[in-house]
Amino acid sequence: MNKTKCLYISLGVLAIIATIVGFRAYNNIWVGVLSAVIVVIPSIYSVIPLIIEQHKSKNARKNRLTESIFTDRKNDLEDIIRILNINEHCVEIAGNEEQCGKSWMAKRLCDFINNPKDSEFKNIQYKCQYIKADYLDMDSLTAKEFDKYFIDNIITSKNVLIFDNVEKISAILDKQKQFHFQMIYILKNKINLALTTHTMSEFPQNNINELQNKISKIYPNISTLTQFEINTLFQLTDGNIGRITALLSEQKGVSWIKDISNKTPTEYEKCLHKIEIDIIVGKYQIARDNLRKFEVEYKNNFSNNMHLTYKYNLILSNCEHMLNQYETALATLSIIEIPSYKKYNQKYEIELHKAHYNKHLWHCNEALEILDSIKDNSFAALVDSLGILAAKYFINDLSVPYSSDDSLKEFKKKFFNASNSSLNCTDFDNYKLKRYKPIFIFYDKKPSKEEMLIQCIDEVIKVYEGENNRLRANAYFIKAEIYRLYKQYDKSVIEYKHCMDVTIDNNIRLQTNLIMYYLIKVKGLNLDYELMPDNEINNLCQDNAYSCIVRHRIRNIELGDPNAAEIQEQIDTRIMPIL
């Protein structure tokens, strides 16, 4: 019987006793009832906090920290429990490299201690002598919040506290001396301590199938790898569970594995593929460091192996681009622009990269000229020009270097040509084209209501969500812009927030905050949105030429410049795409 039921039964028994006592004392049933009321009412007020705490405790136990894609690691869990059971009070969860599943294991351990009767733990051989555990991510706790945890919670030697991303182990050890809890910790940086350590085992290759099946339940549009492709994935990631999961969790990563699995790589290509994985999963600085090591290791091969030089510099330029070093990325790309490398330039990847880097620098005319030069042979070039043209029109930059038409007319023409093109295209580029469809319809048809436009962009969002594609941030932004233009401001804020939830990319953060600044500060709308501080907006604008122009136009309105009304009318009637 649970504790809440016991409390209710106790109140009932108390009421009955009070009634009987009152009746016997005065031989009057109503006096007995009154006695019960007088006794029970204060008791109820006393019990209410206990019932609330009981419900909170029950809800806390329902909560599970383990992600639904968690796979295997049974032996690791059992070993940590075994160590805890022999009264080791400080246990480190360590690994031989980053992203080897330490945090996964910490959360799994917490769930096991709190909920040992869960069906998924039925095959665990050991029972844990402790019944309460808490997981604390030190990256997300301030010093005050850390201290407050120990004030707000009852901590005894029966508690297991699991600390992740620990930088100052001394602060936690001091707390342990005071409260005597059992301590599990994961260090952010490796240091040598004379404490017990569990080192994470390697993730077995035969569990990858199970892992990708779990991922497909969350993202149903992600393709499935064959066993041969799984072998390639395992080899390139060296069995690292973090990289494996990151690649399997996004269609972009799965497509890349499928592509390279169909070719027999050289030894240097295998090394470069491993570095590319770090770029794909967002470890840009690690990738840059490894590219330096690669250059040292293969320095004698660059002069006589043109394919190696081409691959290396293409990947290096992309890495510099991801680190927002666009000038360096262009300079690196120029090394392989000479005719002798032309045969390696498949599907115009040099031109497409070069145009993309120029777009970030807002050398928009240079980017458009590059894309126009290959438009007859590259579907990607047609589609990539759409974002630049839409962005130019938003800031009223109407000139197009190769055309007498303005940027809006050229946008419509390019969209029409792409929509009716017979050129081969990837799903990636096809959905990018569909992402611009509502913008085309808005300018071409000027519908009186937004429903058709929202339906168009929702189709793209649904696909991107099923693929866990980061470009859904761009799609959410377009959806927010549609609502903004149709004065559905509360709905637009929801979509801007969805956009921000996808990524921490500074370009997206900046553009979102600029348009929200305009709505709140210039139009004076009362919207549920916390703006980025002005100084942060100004700092980010220094490295973003396009956003700097948008910021300047908003300032023109605020200062009441002669063209302020014209600029405001343009912002209120045009869509800003994520550049």
Side-chain angles (χ1 to χ4, degrees):
M1 188 181 299
N2 64 43
K3 293 179 181 178
T4 306
K5 285 183 179 179
C6 288
L7 288 171
Y8 291 145
I9 291 170
S10 299
L11 285 174
V13 171
L14 188 61
I16 292 168
I17 293 172
T19 303
I20 294 171
V21 170
F23 177 73
R24 285 186 174 179
Y26 296 96
N27 200 28
N28 186 318
I29 187 64
W30 294 111
V31 174
V33 171
L34 182 61
S35 300
V37 171
I38 292 171
V39 170
V40 169
I41 287 177
S43 301
I44 289 174
Y45 277 101
S46 300
V47 166
I48 285 173
L50 297 175
I51 294 173
I52 292 172
E53 285 302 315
Q54 181 63 24
H55 279 295
K56 284 182 179 179
S57 177
K58 188 176 180 181
N59 288 339
R61 286 190 172 275
K62 285 181 182 178
N63 185 44
R64 300 292 185 275
L65 299 177
T66 307
E67 295 179 52
S68 59
I69 60 173
F70 187 91
T71 305
D72 190 51
R73 316 319 281 265
K74 174 176 174 285
N75 293 337
D76 291 286
L77 181 58
E78 288 182 340
D79 189 54
I80 297 171
I81 296 164
R82 179 190 60 79
I83 295 171
L84 273 175
N85 285 344
I86 59 174
N87 294 322
E88 286 290 348
H89 303 298
C90 296
V91 183
E92 178 188 1
I93 300 177
N96 294 319
E97 58 181 335
E98 288 188 359
Q99 295 183 297
C100 61
K102 300 186 292 292
S103 294
W104 263 22
M105 179 50 55
K107 293 175 182 178
R108 187 69 159 181
L109 174 64
C110 190
D111 284 345
F112 174 77
I113 294 172
N114 290 330
N115 307 280
K117 293 182 179 179
D118 279 3
S119 59
E120 58 202 58
F121 297 128
K122 63 184 179 182
N123 294 324
I124 302 298
Q125 295 181 8
Y126 292 95
K127 290 184 178 180
C128 186
Q129 61 178 311
Y130 305 102
I131 59 172
K132 179 72 172 70
D134 278 337
Y135 171 85
L136 293 92
D137 184 353
M138 300 304 289
D139 265 353
S140 62
L141 289 177
T142 63
K144 285 185 178 179
E145 289 169 335
F146 178 65
D147 288 335
K148 191 173 185 297
Y149 170 83
F150 290 92
I151 295 170
D152 293 346
N153 293 275
I154 299 172
I155 307 298
T156 71
S157 61
K158 297 297 182 182
N159 292 84
V160 178
L161 300 189
I162 305 169
F163 301 92
D164 200 354
N165 296 305
V166 175
E167 283 191 278
K168 295 181 179 178
I169 189 71
S170 58
I172 298 173
L173 290 171
D174 287 344
K175 291 292 185 186
Q176 190 189 38
K177 288 178 184 176
Q178 296 173 43
F179 295 93
H180 309 290
F181 54 82
Q182 312 306 310
M183 172 178 154
I184 306 284
Y185 64 97
I186 299 171
L187 292 171
K188 204 166 189 180
N189 301 301
K190 185 68 178 175
I191 57 174
N192 292 320
L193 294 169
L195 301 174
T196 304
T197 300
H198 168 82
T199 303
M200 293 295 296
S201 64
E202 293 184 0
F203 184 75
Q205 181 176 347
N206 56 13
N207 285 330
I208 292 180
N209 242 328
E210 181 186 349
L211 176 60
Q212 72 170 340
N213 288 339
K214 289 180 177 180
I215 290 171
S216 69
K217 291 178 181 177
I218 305 172
Y219 306 115
N221 293 347
I222 295 180
S223 304
T224 301
L225 297 180
T226 65
Q227 187 56 53
F228 179 75
E229 291 161 350
I230 285 174
N231 294 343
T232 302
L233 170 67
F234 193 79
Q235 290 166 9
L236 288 176
T237 58
D238 295 321
N240 181 282
I241 182 60
R243 291 186 177 88
I244 290 171
T245 303
L247 288 169
L248 289 177
S249 295
E250 193 172 354
Q251 181 61 37
K252 177 183 176 183
V254 171
S255 297
W256 183 77
I257 289 292
K258 283 182 171 292
D259 183 51
I260 64 173
S261 294
N262 296 322
K263 303 166 187 174
T264 304
T266 61
E267 285 304 312
Y268 66 80
E269 283 180 309
K270 290 178 183 177
C271 293
L272 289 172
H273 288 330
K274 289 184 178 183
I275 295 172
E276 280 187 280
I277 287 175
D278 285 324
I279 296 175
I280 291 171
V281 303
K283 302 289 184 180
Y284 308 132
Q285 192 55 57
I286 291 174
R288 185 65 187 88
D289 295 340
N290 287 331
L291 282 164
R292 288 193 184 96
K293 294 175 185 176
F294 178 91
E295 185 177 5
V296 171
E297 184 176 351
Y298 284 90
K299 62 182 179 182
N300 296 327
N301 300 78
F302 279 86
S303 58
N304 54 23
N305 189 331
M306 296 192 69
H307 181 250
L308 180 151
T309 305
Y310 177 85
K311 287 279 291 183
Y312 169 79
N313 282 288
L314 189 67
I315 294 169
L316 177 60
S317 74
N318 186 35
C319 185
E320 295 288 5
H321 147 246
M322 291 299 186
L323 290 166
N324 298 327
Q325 302 299 313
Y326 305 122
E327 296 282 8
T328 306
L330 282 170
T332 304
L333 207 58
S334 67
I335 296 170
I336 52 175
E337 283 188 87
I338 60 177
S340 53
Y341 292 104
K342 186 175 181 179
K343 64 180 179 180
Y344 302 114
N345 182 22
Q346 299 177 357
K347 300 178 181 178
Y348 301 97
E349 55 190 356
I350 288 180
E351 289 83 359
L352 293 172
H353 278 76
K354 188 175 181 181
H356 185 76
Y357 305 158
N358 273 295
K359 179 192 75 171
H360 278 300
L361 290 165
W362 197 235
H363 299 161
C364 52
N365 288 339
E366 290 90 331
L368 286 172
E369 286 179 318
I370 294 166
L371 295 171
D372 190 66
S373 70
I374 59 173
K375 70 179 187 303
D376 295 331
N377 300 299
S378 171
F379 184 86
L382 281 171
V383 176
D384 284 358
S385 64
L386 294 173
I388 301 172
L389 290 165
K392 280 172 74 75
Y393 183 65
F394 179 77
I395 60 171
N396 207 40
D397 180 351
L398 303 180
S399 67
V400 179
Y402 50 80
S403 174
S404 59
D405 290 331
D406 65 31
S407 49
L408 178 59
K409 289 180 181 177
E410 189 64 22
F411 171 84
K412 291 180 180 179
K413 187 196 302 183
K414 281 285 195 294
F415 183 87
F416 180 83
N417 291 343
S419 299
N420 295 281
S421 174
S422 58
L423 292 168
N424 290 330
C425 71
T426 62
D427 287 342
F428 176 86
D429 288 321
N430 186 37
Y431 279 105
K432 186 185 287 188
L433 175 65
K434 290 183 177 180
R435 205 169 73 223
Y436 291 111
K437 184 178 178 180
I439 300 179
F440 173 81
I441 295 173
F442 175 77
Y443 288 133
D444 193 56
K445 307 291 184 185
K446 300 192 183 303
S448 58
K449 294 186 177 181
E450 76 278 5
E451 284 86 350
M452 184 200 324
L453 306 178
I454 295 298
Q455 184 179 350
C456 285
I457 198 64
D458 275 347
E459 289 176 10
V460 178
I461 289 172
K462 184 177 180 181
V463 172
Y464 281 166
E465 286 179 341
E467 294 179 350
N468 193 25
N469 193 323
R470 281 172 280 185
L471 288 174
R472 65 188 183 278
N474 302 52
Y476 282 133
F477 192 88
I478 290 173
K479 187 175 181 179
E481 285 286 275
I482 293 168
Y483 279 131
R484 177 179 70 83
L485 296 182
Y486 284 88
K487 297 180 171 58
Q488 302 284 328
Y489 297 117
D490 289 332
K491 290 182 179 179
S492 72
V493 170
I494 291 171
E495 301 307 326
Y496 287 128
K497 287 180 177 179
H498 283 159
C499 171
M500 296 276 281
D501 287 341
V502 173
T503 178
I504 57 172
D505 179 83
N506 278 337
N507 293 332
I508 291 176
R509 289 176 62 236
L510 179 55
Q511 284 192 232
T512 303
N513 273 275
L514 283 174
I515 205 68
M516 287 305 304
Y517 179 94
Y518 170 77
L519 292 175
I520 294 170
K521 298 290 188 178
V522 177
K523 293 184 75 69
L525 299 174
N526 183 19
L527 299 173
D528 180 22
Y529 190 90
E530 185 177 348
L531 285 172
M532 184 187 291
D534 282 356
N535 63 326
E536 189 174 357
I537 290 178
N538 292 333
N539 289 337
L540 289 175
C541 279
Q542 291 177 12
D543 299 319
N544 190 311
Y546 179 74
S547 291
C548 191
I549 296 171
V550 175
R551 173 70 162 152
H552 181 69
R553 285 167 65 80
I554 293 172
R555 289 291 293 154
N556 286 346
I557 300 171
E558 289 182 304
L559 295 171
D561 286 0
N563 60 344
E566 181 185 357
I567 293 173
Q568 185 157 3
E569 188 272 337
Q570 289 165 358
I571 293 176
D572 287 342
T573 58
R574 299 180 185 183
I575 292 177
M576 176 169 67
I578 289 291
L579 194 63

